[in-house]
Amino acid sequence: MFSQKTLLLFGAIYSLLFTITLASDPDPIQDFCIPNPKFGSIRTPHGLLTILPCKNSSEATAEDFVFSGMKAAGNFSDTGLAVISASPTNFPGLNTLGMSFARADIEAGGINPPHFHPRATELVHVVQGRVYAGFVDSGNRVFARILEQGEVMVFPRGLVHFLMNVGDKPATLFGSFNSQNPGIQKIPSALFGSGIDEELLQKAFGLSSKQIGTMRKKFDPKKLR
């Protein structure tokens, strides 16, 4: 028989493994699951995509497993960034496979501001241009360098990361995520476009009320839509 201490240890290990398992997208229990548009998508109370009900596998076609929306750059923002994402909502074959994909184009001097993905690690591949890329760990240590064409960098899940085109021509990158719904939290928008109390922001960043107001106007969520 196991001692009480041994049983408690096994219980702790099991709880840890169970927690780690729940922290990732669930494993598929069939070859694929093409979303059935008749049902739409099921979301949590917070709006997070959870399940896209399947249609009959006999109705699937090769077109469900091909995405043609990344042949050209998307629309550029005022930071010089254009992103096209591929997820189960526009690429049916990805549903339940625990992954998603994105194309990012950055104009010369443009940036992808500091942000993080709460539910996915990102692997980014530079297919054109020179990009300063990096992330910050929980000890506030930055891991960054200039990536040349053909190089790949990984951004661990949940860590703040960033990109800046340091070349004189547009840069193109492709990113893959180990979640079909990685989520994204943009740091500037989260801080100045979310309605956090102004006094707290002043104390946190040493900014005046006027400066806070300027930042809030810049990151007003209505303007960023």
Side-chain angles (χ1 to χ4, degrees):
M1 296 291 294
F2 294 113
S3 68
Q4 184 177 6
K5 184 178 294 186
T6 301
L7 289 174
L8 288 174
L9 177 60
F10 284 163
I13 293 173
Y14 176 79
S15 298
L16 177 61
L17 292 174
F18 185 69
T19 301
I20 292 173
T21 300
L22 291 179
S24 302
D25 285 14
D27 288 331
I29 56 174
Q30 53 199 14
D31 291 343
F32 52 80
C33 172
I34 302 303
N36 191 331
K38 181 174 69 173
F39 296 105
S41 59
I42 299 175
R43 295 177 180 271
T44 69
H46 301 291
L48 300 177
L49 183 65
T50 54
I51 301 172
L52 293 171
C54 313
K55 64 182 180 182
N56 193 307
S57 60
S58 64
E59 300 177 56
T61 69
E63 295 305 312
D64 291 321
F65 303 95
V66 177
F67 183 68
S68 302
M70 294 186 177
K71 295 180 179 180
N75 298 320
F76 286 90
S77 68
D78 58 0
T79 63
L81 172 69
V83 177
I84 299 174
S85 299
S87 69
T89 56
N90 60 0
F91 188 1
L94 287 178
N95 190 38
T96 74
L97 299 185
M99 62 185 302
S100 51
F101 200 66
R103 168 178 174 157
D105 291 89
I106 310 176
E107 296 176 330
I111 65 168
N112 189 349
H115 63 281
F116 67 92
H117 306 287
R119 293 179 292 279
T121 290
E122 179 180 3
L123 195 66
V124 64
H125 176 213
V126 180
V127 297
Q128 176 179 295
R130 299 177 71 246
V131 178
Y132 173 68
F135 66 89
V136 181
D137 71 5
S138 56
N140 289 331
R141 181 182 176 189
V142 63
F143 296 81
R145 56 162 284 185
I146 294 176
L147 301 180
E148 305 286 349
Q149 180 176 324
E151 292 191 303
V152 176
M153 187 170 189
V154 64
F155 303 135
R157 189 177 94 175
L159 296 188
V160 173
H161 54 279
F162 47 83
L163 299 161
M164 179 170 65
N165 185 347
V166 294
D168 55 6
K169 297 179 180 179
T172 300
L173 308 91
F174 286 94
S176 61
F177 306 87
N178 64 339
S179 171
Q180 73 175 49
N181 185 29
I184 184 170
Q185 190 92 47
K186 299 178 181 179
I187 304 302
S189 300
L191 293 174
F192 299 104
S194 62
I196 294 176
D197 186 85
E198 182 178 308
E199 182 181 356
L200 186 148
L201 293 175
Q202 290 179 27
K203 292 179 177 180
F205 298 101
L207 299 176
S208 67
S209 178
K210 182 177 180 180
Q211 290 171 320
I212 295 293
T214 299
M215 295 298 286
R216 283 186 158 168
K217 288 180 181 178
K218 182 175 182 179
F219 295 104
D220 184 340
K222 294 179 182 179
K223 295 181 180 179
L224 296 175
R225 288 175 184 170

